[in-house]
DNA sequence: CTAAATTTTCATTTTTTTTTGAAAGTTTAA
DNA sequence: TTAAACTTTCAAAAAAAAATGAAAATTTAG
């Protein structure tokens, strides 16, 4: 396969994967484009490569920066801003995990804590089932939370790096 | 908090979480409703509880069955079908992991394998960056794949199960 | 077999999400 | 300070996803 064709396929596949995981397809595509670019790109270049509007490119790049996946760069003598993506996959995985933890896990744990404190008749099956289900999900969520903390705190990539070797 | 209020909040929260992870909000809500129901429910009951149409309820319940999260039940003397959700959180997590692996991980690995075989000039930075990025992602994907296999094959829940007991 | 009960389908409508693009805002070189 | 270069915003449009509901299909009791 030729590089040009492979690039397009990669961008398409990454976009599809993103959308299946609740990440805007275009955002995932811009990320893919930048990941395979040796050089930082300008907004113009991103717009041209993916045929998207200026507004879309601008907002998407900002979101990627918020996710910690892309950084703005300035080149001496150039007035334009350049965008460069982190390329180490473990760092990318870590950033995504960090963000989703902050945006989704922490809020749901807060809600589950409230819901686990619901009061009702201990003889009522509806109450018992609710309480058990919510309590169990809450425990799982807290465990995922703790596991992520450990993973993310570790400088070394124990989860994807070393544990995997055990199973090889 | 009262049970009725708590139920609504749980259904809402579960629906939101689902939509953030690429799962149709209504599907997640139906799942939430069934998870907290001690008894299997009919399509009519699901429609009424969540104010959704018959068509929507039917398709959503079928999808949940496809995900292995809900099962059809028949009650003697009753002609209607009843729907019952698995309630063990580890089993739920396992089913979701299995399905997403099958639907998303396996296909992307197939594509990455093709893309990793792209040919080009070893001196070309664009080629080098593409190759490195795709190869690294491919390795990560294969490692996740293997880890999931091990996790899912294990009858015992080493990841969520045993760790849970420690924190109980 | 018949008809009532129940489930499924899917063209259409509604809702939600994403994108556009032009105007407003900001920065910087001179 | 000015004006060109560049970035950001956001109301409106477009696209995508989800929901509706009535008709068709299926099932089952009698």
């Amino acid at each position: 396969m030729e590089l040009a064709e492979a690039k397009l396929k990669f961008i398409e596949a990454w976009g599809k994967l993103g959308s299946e995981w609740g990440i805007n397809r275009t955002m995932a595509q811009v990320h893919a484009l930048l990941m395979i670019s040796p050089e930082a790109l300008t907004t113009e270049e991103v717009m041209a490569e993916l045929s998207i509007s200026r507004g879309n490119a601008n907002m998407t790049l900002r979101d990627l920066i918020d996710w910690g996946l892309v950084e703005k760069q300035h080149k001496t003598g150039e007035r334009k801003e350049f965008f460069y993506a982190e390329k180490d996959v473990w760092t990318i995985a870590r950033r995504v995990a960090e963000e989703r933890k902050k945006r989704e896990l922490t809020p749901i744990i807060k809600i589950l804590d409230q819901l686990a404190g619901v009061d009702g008749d201990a003889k009522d099956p509806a109450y018992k089932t609710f309480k058990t289900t919510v309590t169990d999900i809450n425990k799982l969520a807290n465990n995922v939370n703790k596991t992520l903390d450990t993973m993310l705190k570790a400088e070394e990539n124990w989860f994807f790096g070393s544990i995997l070797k055990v199973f090889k």
Side-chain angles (χ1 to χ4, degrees), chain A:
Chain A
M1 198 187 301
E2 291 301 314
L3 183 56
E5 187 195 350
K7 277 184 179 178
L8 291 177
K9 284 207 179 166
F10 178 68
I11 290 166
E12 189 194 330
W14 204 245
K16 182 160 180 259
L17 189 69
S19 70
E20 288 166 341
W21 286 81
I23 283 137
N24 179 310
R25 171 178 260 96
T26 300
M27 178 166 150
Q29 289 181 334
V30 171
H31 184 223
L33 173 65
L34 292 177
M35 275 196 296
I36 59 176
S37 299
E39 307 287 334
L41 303 183
T42 62
T43 301
E44 299 286 341
E45 288 169 321
V46 171
M47 287 166 62
E49 288 277 345
L50 303 176
S51 308
I52 60 173
S53 71
R54 184 175 303 285
N56 197 4
N58 181 271
M59 291 177 110
T60 297
L61 286 165
R62 198 218 331 234
D63 286 346
L64 284 166
I65 290 168
D66 290 344
W67 276 77
L69 298 172
V70 164
E71 60 174 25
K72 265 190 197 174
Q73 288 186 346
H74 293 277
K75 295 194 180 175
T76 45
E78 289 272 18
R79 190 155 158 191
K80 275 177 289 203
E81 293 173 331
F82 291 76
F83 299 90
Y84 184 80
E86 168 63 48
K87 287 173 180 54
D88 178 68
V89 287
W90 168 243
T91 304
I92 294 167
R94 169 196 288 253
R95 295 271 161 79
V96 172
E98 268 171 23
E99 280 300 310
R100 299 206 85 148
K101 176 177 183 291
K102 186 167 65 190
R103 295 176 194 213
E104 293 147 20
L105 191 59
T106 306
I108 196 115
I109 285 175
K110 207 173 160 189
I111 292 170
L112 290 169
D113 280 340
Q114 289 169 12
L115 297 181
V118 67
D119 40 40
D121 174 9
K123 303 279 184 236
D124 176 16
Y127 172 74
K128 282 199 292 184
T129 305
F130 181 87
K131 186 99 176 183
T132 306
T133 300
V134 168
T135 303
D136 286 353
I137 292 172
N138 199 12
K139 280 178 192 160
L140 174 60
N142 276 292
N143 284 327
V144 171
N145 201 29
K146 279 178 189 159
T147 305
L148 280 176
D149 276 346
T150 309
M151 256 178 74
L152 295 171
K153 227 176 280 164
E155 194 51 46
E156 227 170 312
N157 165 3
W158 64 269
F159 185 65
F160 295 103
S162 60
I163 278 193
L164 288 168
K165 282 166 198 151
V166 176
F167 297 119
K168 267 183 188 162

